[in-house]
Amino acid sequence: MLKEFKEFITRGNVLDMAIGIIMGSAFTAIVTSVVEDLLMPIIAGLTSGINYEDLVINIAGAQLKLGSFINSVITFLIIAFVLFLMIKSINLFHKKKEEPKVENEKDCPYCKSKIDIDATRCPNCTSKLENYSNSNE
């Protein structure tokens, strides 16, 4: 059982997942700092100095931390936008540019086999093709 556990832990996908979680935690800390330390003060300054973190509503003796909720929503939107940009750039990086296809074959009008574009006689049915133009052109 210990040997199986060791094999499970050392498999590549488990290590990749662990690295992803650690990187995600570090990335979350950066984004949270950007939101709390950079964006929220700007938003508070633009909205007459309201500090969203201090925005609390009291209902029936319970405190609803509306400011904290707004901060969480803004953080989520920023993280989602950054992930969108990252995935979009990765997809563009991996997208292979398709080269335009050079037509180097044509169809024989008699046997319908593919033959070289410059052929004057079909190698399959031996028909003469001198006055034939490719229907794909």
Side-chain angles (χ1 to χ4, degrees):
M1 190 163 126
L2 188 60
K3 183 180 176 184
E4 290 177 27
F5 180 71
K6 181 181 176 185
E7 289 175 11
F8 171 74
I9 291 297
T10 57
R11 267 195 275 177
N13 55 357
V14 173
L15 294 175
D16 291 343
M17 183 182 65
I19 290 169
I21 290 171
I22 292 167
M23 293 299 293
S25 298
F27 185 71
T28 300
I30 291 170
V31 172
T32 301
S33 177
V34 167
V35 171
E36 291 177 357
D37 301 331
L38 300 177
L39 295 178
M40 290 308 285
I42 293 171
I43 292 171
L46 293 174
T47 57
S48 304
I50 298 172
N51 186 355
Y52 284 102
E53 285 294 321
D54 297 334
L55 187 59
V56 177
I57 297 175
N58 291 314
I59 297 178
Q63 277 192 337
L64 301 177
K65 296 181 180 181
L66 188 59
S68 180
F69 174 74
I70 292 171
N71 190 17
S72 296
V73 169
I74 292 172
T75 302
F76 170 78
L77 292 174
I78 290 172
I79 290 171
F81 184 69
V82 169
L83 289 175
F84 168 76
L85 291 177
M86 287 174 56
I87 290 170
K88 187 173 176 96
S89 64
I90 289 170
N91 287 342
L92 286 174
F93 179 74
H94 287 294
K95 193 177 202 180
K96 294 179 181 177
K97 292 183 181 179
E98 295 182 15
E99 295 179 13
K101 289 185 178 181
V102 177
E103 194 67 39
N104 57 0
E105 291 183 329
K106 62 183 175 183
D107 295 328
C108 173
Y110 304 104
C111 68
K112 306 298 182 201
S113 63
K114 295 283 184 189
I115 58 175
D116 188 79
I117 194 81
D118 296 326
T120 57
R121 186 175 291 272
C122 177
N124 299 309
C125 69
T126 68
S127 299
K128 275 191 144 184
L129 306 169
E130 291 176 30
N131 296 327
Y132 172 74
S133 65
N134 192 355
S135 61
N136 294 335
E137 292 179 344

